[in-house]
Amino acid sequence: MAIKRIDHIGIAVEDLDKSLTFWEHALGLRLHTVKNVPEQQVDVAFLPVGESEVELVRPTAEDSGVAKWIQKKGAGIHHICFEVDDIRAMLAQMAAQGVWLIDKEPRAGADGKLYAFVHPKSAGGVLVELYQLP
């Protein structure tokens, strides 16, 4: 089991259009698509950068996890996501090391990806997401 690459960096934003002005115009990144993710209560704008992406994450409900995060910490870097080759083995290894996992078992995304989150208290204050591509 291994980490293969940084899949994306998630950035919590309050306003997608305003945020895209910077990412597209100032940095020259191109918006690939915007998707609504109902199970997370967010809209996500995907901006590819090489083999990774910047994901701008805007809450669609005031009680969503991202909305609460923005209320507590303000907009900014929300999480870093690593692509792994075996998410179940990675979670088992981390659990055996005493890492606090938000997800002890991976969740299945609509696109077939498996994903799980590691609690920031185990990662020096950083929310870590793990992805396994189908």
Side-chain angles (χ1 to χ4, degrees):
M1 109 203 91
I3 291 177
K4 297 171 75 173
R5 67 186 178 97
I6 294 173
D7 185 81
H8 66 268
I9 296 174
I11 300 173
V13 302
E14 294 179 18
D15 183 321
L16 275 181
D17 292 330
K18 184 176 177 183
S19 297
L20 283 168
T21 299
F22 171 77
W23 293 94
E24 288 186 298
H25 300 288
L27 291 180
L29 299 181
R30 292 190 175 269
L31 175 65
H32 178 259
T33 189
V34 176
K35 290 185 181 177
N36 178 264
V37 185
E39 63 271 12
Q40 298 291 324
Q41 295 180 301
V42 295
D43 288 329
V44 182
F46 298 90
L47 300 123
V49 181
E51 293 187 17
S52 299
E53 290 183 310
V54 170
E55 292 185 0
L56 304 179
V57 184
R58 182 186 70 81
T60 57
E62 290 182 19
D63 62 343
S64 73
V66 175
K68 291 175 186 175
W69 191 89
I70 290 173
Q71 291 167 5
K72 184 176 180 182
K73 298 184 178 193
I77 293 178
H78 180 261
H79 68 276
I80 185 167
C81 178
F82 296 101
E83 180 188 346
V84 298
D85 59 1
D86 187 339
I87 195 168
R88 285 183 173 84
M90 181 70 75
L91 292 171
Q93 175 186 318
M94 294 172 90
Q97 294 172 350
V99 173
W100 184 357
L101 303 173
I102 294 172
D103 300 301
K104 291 178 176 53
E105 289 292 323
R107 302 184 228 180
D111 54 5
K113 293 179 184 177
L114 296 177
Y115 67 98
F117 286 94
V118 177
H119 200 284
K121 289 186 179 178
S122 285
V126 178
L127 179 62
V128 173
E129 182 179 11
L130 304 173
Y131 258 6
Q132 180 180 323
L133 300 177

